[in-house]
Amino acid sequence: MVEPPSGPLQRPLPDGTVPETIVVRTEEHWIRIMVGMLVIMMVIIVLSSFVGALHPSSNVEVIDSRTLHLKGEFVESNLGTAVEPDGSVTVRLIAQQYDFVPRCVVVPAGTPVKFRLTSDDVIHGFLLPDTNVNTMVVPGFVAEVRTRFSEPGDYVMPCHEYCGLGHQAMWARVKVVPWQELAKQGRFERTSCAAQ
Ligand SMILES: [Cu+2]
């Protein structure tokens, strides 16, 4: 004699329909699985954000991109690395087709570093691999990201937002050095990395 199937959905029913209680139970079962997956994904996003110090840029600051080179914070003489009175470091950069100005900046290891960027033409992207630095650079706005480099080393800064035919060549460099080495450098060396 053949054993009847044990699964409720596989049992033969006289009129061929599935009982409502079984449908409801199955739907509730899948809803619990879906909610569980959503909760796991949210936990991963929140935890990785805290661990990696990742956050959406919250800095909404407007600037007139037509006069960047004439006046204000982003005039040429003010670009590059500056040491603030509290010992932190601010780096100011302009993204433009197809370069960052300056192309290389020197920053100290183990010190809070604030990058402030803007664009004078189209939308660019600013990314430092293996750090929490990743932002869009939109003309008319100042993008601000903060980080801290634990070790000396070189980081490349690719533009990661397609900005035109020369986009793939839009690279720059951040050179992380011990604090003492930065203190010895003059403003020109910090700004251009020309000697390296
Ligand atoms: Cu680009």
Side-chain angles (χ1 to χ4, degrees), residues 4-5 8 19 41 54 58 65 75 87 97 112 124 128 135 151 155 177 188-189:
M41 284 190 286
L54 305 174
S58 55
S65 52
V75 292
Q97 291 171 315
H124 297 278
L128 291 179
T135 186
E151 299 285 337
Y155 291 80
V177 300
F188 176 73
E189 291 165 293

Side-chain angles (χ1 to χ4, degrees), residues 44-192:
I44 289 172
I45 290 171
V46 171
L47 278 182
S48 59
S49 301
F50 276 108
V51 171
L54 305 174
H55 49 80
S57 28
S58 55
N59 192 47
V60 180
E61 192 179 332
V62 293
I63 192 165
D64 186 350
S65 52
R66 294 167 303 180
T67 57
L68 287 183
H69 59 299
L70 296 176
K71 61 180 181 184
E73 181 182 351
F74 290 90
V75 292
E76 190 174 348
S77 60
N78 206 36
L79 297 178
T81 304
V83 180
E84 305 293 349
D86 64 359
S88 67
V89 162
T90 303
V91 180
R92 294 181 178 86
L93 295 157
I94 293 178
Q96 60 185 29
Q97 291 171 315
Y98 298 99
D99 221 340
F100 289 96
V101 183
R103 290 199 75 181
C104 177
V105 288
V106 179
V107 298
T111 300
V113 178
K114 180 168 67 182
F115 287 93
R116 287 176 58 79
L117 300 102
T118 190
S119 164
D120 64 2
D121 41 40
V122 299
I123 296 175
H124 297 278
F126 179 66
L127 170 74
L128 291 179
D130 301 325
T131 72
N132 65 327
V133 175
N134 182 351
T135 186
M136 307 267 284
V137 186
V138 182
F141 293 87
V142 177
E144 185 174 301
V145 267
R146 293 160 193 255
T147 191
R148 179 192 290 261
F149 300 94
S150 54
E151 299 285 337
D154 274 3
Y155 291 80
V156 288
M157 304 189 285
C159 171
H160 68 313
E161 183 70 33
Y162 182 74
C163 54
L165 292 176
H167 164 68
Q168 80 285 350
M170 190 166 166
W171 291 79
R173 196 156 63 100
V174 172
K175 192 173 170 59
V176 184
V177 300
W179 178 262
Q180 300 82 350
E181 196 175 317
L182 181 87
K184 281 190 289 185
Q185 291 187 336
R187 174 126 193 134
F188 176 73
E189 291 165 293
R190 289 179 197 168
T191 303
S192 71

